[in-house]
Amino acid sequence: MKVLILMVYFNRPILARNALKSVLRANEYHKDWELMILDDNSPIPIKPIVKDVMKGHLHKVSVSNSKMSFDEKIHRGLIIGEYANFGIRQSDADIGITLCDDDEIYPTYLQDITQYFQKNPEVMYAYSHVSLFNPLIKSERVPNLTSPYHKPGAINPVHL
């Protein structure tokens, strides 16, 4: 099963770099994916970061820019859903997930979620209010500290 990863980016290059690296780690366990990134007209563009981090996988990645000013965004309202729907319509993926530019997926996530949907074909969607969602775990909520990548402390998403 192919997984579409939708990622919206705005001005958090360090966090986005980590998110992209997590996709590469997940690629070790599940190779059938594509990544669509919407750069929401960020002053720090995502394309150079993508070219650096995703070397060897650029054929699976597309990047678009909303090119909307702040005033246009206020006038039109939040357009993330519009871009997500466009990405879903353009993709031939079986499963769609979102990856925020400040999040990471754990290495077996793509593999686990495809196995979940293969075993449960009647399920149409899954949603979680947790920082780490594992469809193989039956609990309703998983504390944030279960993530092996959890590093407490302040993060500056723009500068090192």
Side-chain angles (χ1 to χ4, degrees), residues 9-125:
Y9 167 78
F10 186 81
N11 215 33
R12 300 193 277 195
I14 293 171
L15 295 176
R17 181 178 292 276
N18 292 338
L20 295 172
K21 287 178 181 179
S22 78
V23 172
L24 293 179
R25 286 191 300 270
N27 179 69
E28 295 175 24
Y29 297 91
H30 185 82
K31 299 191 182 310
D32 196 8
W33 56 270
E34 66 179 296
L35 174 63
M36 290 186 174
I37 302 171
L38 170 64
D39 181 337
D40 200 11
N41 209 20
S42 177
I44 303 172
I46 189 77
K47 278 189 179 182
I49 299 164
V50 170
K51 287 180 181 177
D52 180 47
V53 175
M54 303 303 285
K55 289 180 225 146
H57 295 86
L58 292 174
H59 62 286
K60 294 182 168 198
V61 182
S62 60
V63 178
S64 62
N65 188 305
S66 70
K67 294 186 171 60
M68 292 179 69
S69 70
F70 184 73
D71 290 337
E72 288 175 295
K73 290 176 196 175
I74 289 175
H75 177 72
R76 279 197 62 195
L78 199 57
I79 61 163
I80 293 171
E82 182 180 323
Y83 279 99
N85 288 335
F86 174 78
I88 290 167
R89 284 192 302 272
Q90 299 301 310
S91 175
D92 64 348
D94 303 295
I95 300 169
I97 67 167
T98 56
L99 174 63
C100 294
D101 62 358
D102 64 346
D103 291 331
E104 297 176 39
I105 54 177
Y106 63 92
T108 61
Y109 184 79
L110 301 179
Q111 171 187 286
D112 293 346
I113 198 146
T114 56
Q115 287 176 356
Y116 175 80
F117 281 107
Q118 286 170 337
K119 291 177 185 172
N120 301 282
E122 73 284 358
V123 175
M124 297 300 291
Y125 64 91

Side-chain angles (χ1 to χ4, degrees), residues 104-106 131-132 142-151:
E104 297 176 39
I105 54 177
Y106 63 92
S131 67
L132 174 64
V142 179
N144 290 348
L145 296 176
T146 60
S147 171
Y149 304 106
H150 179 74
K151 298 173 190 126

